[in-house]
């Protein structure tokens, strides 16, 4: 099993708009129809008092294996999921992708 975390640092003033955008975009991209797709979670940042402000939205996806995830990155569904991205001024930094394999 492979889990992918795609992280988006969003400025405080755009968090609500970005959450709405993310929910709408997920419906369009048909990731759940891709071979090897297992699950997806959309995670909104929460902050804890006396800690640094958390501005990181995360899309967590799970795939049967790396081959399935890589095939998705080459698919029309992947291209479609990256259309109509939010304006650059919403972002507090560059998005990042982290990929992990489950230890069996």
């Amino acid at each position: 099993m492979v889990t992918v975390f795609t992280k988006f640092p969003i400025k405080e003033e755009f968090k609500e708009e970005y959450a709405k955008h993310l929910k709408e975009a997920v419906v369009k991209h048909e990731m759940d129809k891709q071979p090897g797709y297992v699950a997806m979670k959309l995670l909104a940042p929460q902050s804890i008092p006396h800690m640094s402000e958390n501005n990181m939205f995360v899309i967590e996806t799970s795939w049967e294996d790396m081959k399935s995830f890589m095939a998705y990155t080459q698919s029309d569904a992947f291209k479609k999921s990256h259309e109509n991205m939010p304006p650059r001024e919403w972002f507090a930094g560059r998005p990042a992708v982290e990929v992990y394999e489950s230890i069996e």
Side-chain angles (χ1 to χ4, degrees):
M1 175 89 63
V2 169
T3 302
V4 180
F5 295 95
T6 308
K7 299 179 175 185
F8 300 93
I10 302 299
K11 293 177 182 173
E12 180 67 34
E13 63 267 28
F14 299 110
K15 282 183 176 180
E16 280 187 42
E17 290 174 272
Y18 188 75
K20 181 181 176 191
H21 166 82
L22 206 52
K23 285 193 269 185
E24 291 172 357
V26 165
V27 173
K28 293 185 215 175
H29 65 53
E30 301 179 340
M31 184 184 295
D32 60 333
K33 296 178 182 166
Q34 300 304 304
Y37 169 86
V38 176
M40 176 173 35
K41 292 180 186 175
L42 304 178
L43 307 172
Q46 300 296 304
S47 294
I48 299 170
H50 311 294
M51 300 279 292
S52 299
E53 182 71 23
N54 181 6
N55 69 340
M56 196 68 68
F57 281 80
V58 178
I59 301 172
E60 176 187 339
T61 57
S62 297
W63 300 86
E64 289 177 4
D65 50 36
M66 183 62 83
K67 183 179 176 183
S68 298
F69 170 65
M70 294 307 294
Y72 166 67
T73 66
Q74 302 300 313
S75 72
D76 288 337
F78 181 83
K79 291 174 191 154
K80 190 175 182 181
S81 74
H82 290 80
E83 294 174 351
N84 303 316
M85 293 296 286
R88 286 184 183 248
E89 66 260 14
W90 287 17
F91 295 88
R94 295 181 53 86
V97 177
E98 297 176 0
V99 181
Y100 298 89
E101 186 171 37
S102 297
I103 298 172
E104 305 281 334

